[in-house]
Amino acid sequence: MKAEIITIGDEILDGSIIDTNSAWLANILNQNGIPVFQISSVSDDKCHIINALTEASSRVDLIIMTGGIGPTNDDITKIALCEYFNVQLYESKDVLENIQKIFSGRNILLSERNRKQAEVPENCQIIQYPSGSAPCMWFEENGRVYVSLPGVPFEMKTLMEETLIYKLKTHFNTSNIYNKTVLIQGLPESVLADKISDWEYKLPSSIKLAYLPSPGFIKLRLSSVGISNNEIEPIINKSIEELQLIIPDSIYGYDDQTLELIIGKLLADQSCTLATAESCTGGYISHKITSVPGSSEYYKGSIIAYSNEIKEKLLKVNPKSIIEFGAVSQKVVEEMVIGLKKRMNTDYNIATSGISGPGGGTLEKPVGTTWIAVSDGTNIYSRKFHFGKNRGRNIIMTGMTALNMLRNIILEKNK
Amino acid sequence: MKAEIITIGDEILDGSIIDTNSAWLANILNQNGIPVFQISSVSDDKCHIINALTEASSRVDLIIMTGGIGPTNDDITKIALCEYFNVQLYESKDVLENIQKIFSGRNILLSERNRKQAEVPENCQIIQYPSGSAPCMWFEENGRVYVSLPGVPFEMKTLMEETLIYKLKTHFNTSNIYNKTVLIQGLPESVLADKISDWEYKLPSSIKLAYLPSPGFIKLRLSSVGISNNEIEPIINKSIEELQLIIPDSIYGYDDQTLELIIGKLLADQSCTLATAESCTGGYISHKITSVPGSSEYYKGSIIAYSNEIKEKLLKVNPKSIIEFGAVSQKVVEEMVIGLKKRMNTDYNIATSGISGPGGGTLEKPVGTTWIAVSDGTNIYSRKFHFGKNRGRNIIMTGMTALNMLRNIILEKNK
C-alpha cells in the first residue's frame, strides 16, 4: 500500500510559496503506516492535474491532493476531477448549509462566488469541516482512493487530524508503525550524536533512529515497522530510559508536546504563576506561552523592555548597572528578574537580555551573546550563552533555552 | 521552454524535512524566464529516479535534479543517470583534484568513500564548485538538458547563482518574466475577489492574476511572460494604481515587504516611537515588530497584560470598567492604550483585548471577538472585530489587523 501526494498551485511552481503541506502530510501518513512513494506539485491547469492523476494512479493506491478548491477563478481542481472521473458537478446541500452557517456567523452576505464552493463532483463523499468553506472530497475508483483537501494549511491539517487519517487507516488496514519521538533542548546535533553514540550503537535492530533538528531543539525519532505496539513499546521505553540517564536535563518531552505546553501543565498543577521580562526576545517567549489555550490561568504577563528607559522605569533596573556592566550582563538580567517579580507578584519569573543582531555586537560581546535569568521565588539562576549570528535564530534559541531552564528549575524545586 | 524539478531523498518522502530547495529553484528559474512546469520528489531508488526522468523528459526541455550525490550508500543518483543514458561511470581527474584539495585543506585523509565522489557518468560536463565535494553535472540528449545538483541547500544555491543560471539562460535564450505582488490586509479572499472583479475583468490579457492567501493577509500577484520589463512595467503599474483606488486602505505593500518592516520604516523616518499593550495577542505583535533588525530605534516595548490585575496595576485600567463592560470592550481597550502612553511616553500606541479561544466565549461575546485601539498621541481609534474560532489564527489576525490600522493612522496623520 503506497500513497502519492499531489499539491496544486501555480504559486508553488513559481516559487512564491514553499510547499509545507507535502512534508506535513508525508509525516502524518508515514506515522500511520502509509508510506509516501512520490510527491508532485502541478499547476492550476485542468490537463496538468488530470495527467498527474493518471500517472499517480498507475503507481499507488492512494492519491492525496491539496489546493485549487477555493472560491477564486484560478481554482480548478474540482473541474479537473469531474473530467477525470467523467462526472458532473452538483450543488451539495450539506456543503451549502455549512457555508451559509459560516457566513451568517461572520455577518457576511453569501455571494454567488461563495455559493459555488458548495458545488462538488457527483461521485464524491464529503468530509465536512465546520469552520472551513472548502470541504474534503473522497473518491473511490478501481480500488484506488483519491482525496482532495483544501490547500490552506490550517484547514487541511484539521481535516486530516480530526477525521481523514482514521478513515484512511480503516480503509487500508495499514501495517503497524510505532513512533516515539524524544524532544531534546540545549545540545547541538553533533554534540548530541557524540554523547549518545554508544547508546545508539546498542539499539535493537528493530528500532530505526532519526535525528530531526529544528532551531532550538532536536527531535530524536525511534521507530519500528510491522511490530505490534505491545511488543515494541516496552523495548523502546527501555531504550529511552537508558537515554534519560545520559542526557537528563536535555530531554524536555515526547512526541507532540511543546515546552510551552509542558511548562503550562507544571505551573497549573501547582497553582503557580509566571511572568517574563523580555529584552532581546522581544515578546517571543510571551507569544509561545500564550499560544497555549488556558494560559491565562498561570501566566500574568510580560514587560517587553526593548529600551533601557523601560528597563529602568518598569523593571527598576539600576541605571548605574547598565552603564557599568551594559544591558547585556548578568547584573542587569538579574535586576530585571527581581524587578519583574516585584511588579508582577508571580512565583516564577524569566528575564532575557542579549544581542540578537545583526547590529550591536562588540569584540567582547559579539552578536549572539545572551543572558537568561530565571527566578523560582527564592533563588535566581542566571546563565550566559553564545548562539550565533542569525537574528531570528537567536530569538528562538534564547526563548527555547529560557523555557527549558524554567522547566528544570520548577522540577528541581518540587523534587 | 519549460523546466521540471526533481528532488531526490527518502527524507523528503517520510516528512522528516521540508523540501525548500524546490521553492528556491522555482523562484530563481522563473525570475530568469524559465517557467517551472512540475516539481516531483522521489525516493533514493534507482528505478524510481529513472521513471521520474522518463516522465519529465516527455514534458519539458530542462530537468533539474537535486540530491542523492553525496558519499553515503543511499546516494544513488549517478548510478540512475548512467542507466538512464546507458553510459558508464569514470573517475574524473578534475573532480578528484578538487576533492583532494578540499580534504587536504581540512587536514582530513581522503577515504575510499570520498574518492568515489570523483566518479561521474562519462557523458556529462562538470561544473565545479570549489568548496563542495559534490560537483554539478550537465547532460544533453535529444535537445533536452539534464542538470544534477547537490542536495545541500548552500552548495546547490552557490552553484546555481554563481554559474548555472547564466549557462541556462544562454543555452535556452529565455523569455522575460515580470512579477509584481500586491500585499493586502483586512479583506477575506472572497470579499476581495468581489470588490475587484470588474478590475480583474478589465486586466490586459498579457497580465495573469493569482490570489495567494495567508493567515492575516493576501498576496495578489500580477505577472507576464515574454514581454520586456520596459513594456510591461508601466502597464502593470497602471493596473495597480487603479486597484489602489478600489481598496486604498487594504494595500499595505509590495513584493517582499512585510507590515512590520513598513511600519518600522514609517516610524524611523519620522523619528517616532511605538509601544504596545497586548492582552489577547500575548506578545505576538511585539515579536513581529522586534523581528525587524534595528527595531530598538523606534520600539520601546510592551506590557503584556494577560491578567486583569496587570491591566489595572500597570496600565491603570479602571477596575470598574472591567466589571461594567468586561475586559474585552471598547472602554477597556481604550483605557489600556491611554495607560500605555502614559507609562511608555511613546508617539504611537497599540492595545488589543479579545477572546482568542477556545474557552472564554459567551453568547454576547463569542470566541474571536476582539477590540483593537490605536492612539496617534492625539486621537484614539478603536474597532471591534470577529475573527473566528481558531486560537492561533485569532492571534495572527488581530496582530496583522492592528499593524495595518497603525500603518493607516500614521499615513493619515502625516498627510
Side-chain angles (χ1 to χ4, degrees), chain A residues 38-86:
Chain A
Q38 184 163 332
I39 298 168
S40 303
S41 302
V42 302
S43 61
D44 291 306
D45 173 88
K46 192 182 69 177
C47 297
H48 197 178
I49 295 170
I50 292 172
N51 188 52
L53 286 171
T54 309
E55 283 182 359
S57 70
S58 73
R59 290 187 288 249
V60 297
D61 317 281
L62 167 65
I63 296 161
I64 298 204
M65 313 158 71
T66 69
I69 51 174
T72 53
N73 293 332
D74 55 358
D75 291 321
I76 199 140
T77 302
K78 288 194 286 197
I79 293 160
L81 282 164
C82 279
E83 191 163 321
Y84 180 77
F85 291 118
N86 197 19

Side-chain angles (χ1 to χ4, degrees), chain A residues 209-280:
Chain A
L209 189 73
Y211 288 76
L212 311 172
S214 293
F217 67 103
I218 294 172
K219 291 182 185 182
L220 205 61
R221 191 181 60 209
L222 295 85
S223 55
S224 84
V225 181
I227 307 173
S228 74
N229 285 5
N230 284 344
E231 204 179 326
I232 195 71
E233 204 170 60
I235 300 174
I236 286 190
N237 284 346
K238 195 168 157 281
S239 297
I240 291 176
E241 277 169 30
E242 289 162 9
L243 185 67
Q244 280 168 329
L245 296 176
I246 308 169
I247 46 167
D249 295 346
S250 306
I251 299 176
Y252 66 85
Y254 302 92
D255 299 326
D256 294 332
Q257 294 182 307
T258 62
L259 256 175
E260 52 272 23
L261 260 173
I262 291 163
I263 284 164
K265 203 177 165 325
L266 283 173
L267 292 168
D269 283 353
Q270 289 157 35
S271 305
C272 283
T273 53
L274 171 69
T276 58
E278 304 185 51
S279 180
C280 61

Side-chain angles (χ1 to χ4, degrees), chain A residues 121-180:
Chain A
E122 56 194 358
N123 65 330
C124 78
Q125 281 177 51
I126 294 293
I127 301 172
Q128 291 260 34
Y129 163 55
S131 55
S133 49
C136 166
M137 295 173 279
W138 172 289
F139 306 82
E140 291 180 28
E141 195 180 65
N142 302 327
R144 238 167 251 109
V145 171
Y146 302 74
V147 178
S148 165
L149 283 163
V152 180
F154 159 71
E155 294 185 11
M156 181 278 288
K157 289 179 188 176
T158 310
L159 270 162
M160 194 70 185
E161 285 179 324
E162 290 185 0
T163 318
L164 189 58
I165 195 66
Y166 304 103
K167 195 169 158 74
L168 288 169
K169 281 174 82 168
T170 313
H171 185 91
F172 286 104
N173 191 19
T174 55
S175 66
N176 193 52
I177 292 194
Y178 187 87
N179 277 312
K180 184 92 186 172

Side-chain angles (χ1 to χ4, degrees), chain B residues 197-209:
Chain B
S197 64
D198 286 350
W199 171 84
E200 186 175 346
Y201 183 75
K202 281 184 217 142
L203 274 182
S205 61
S206 54
I207 301 175
K208 205 183 156 192
L209 190 72

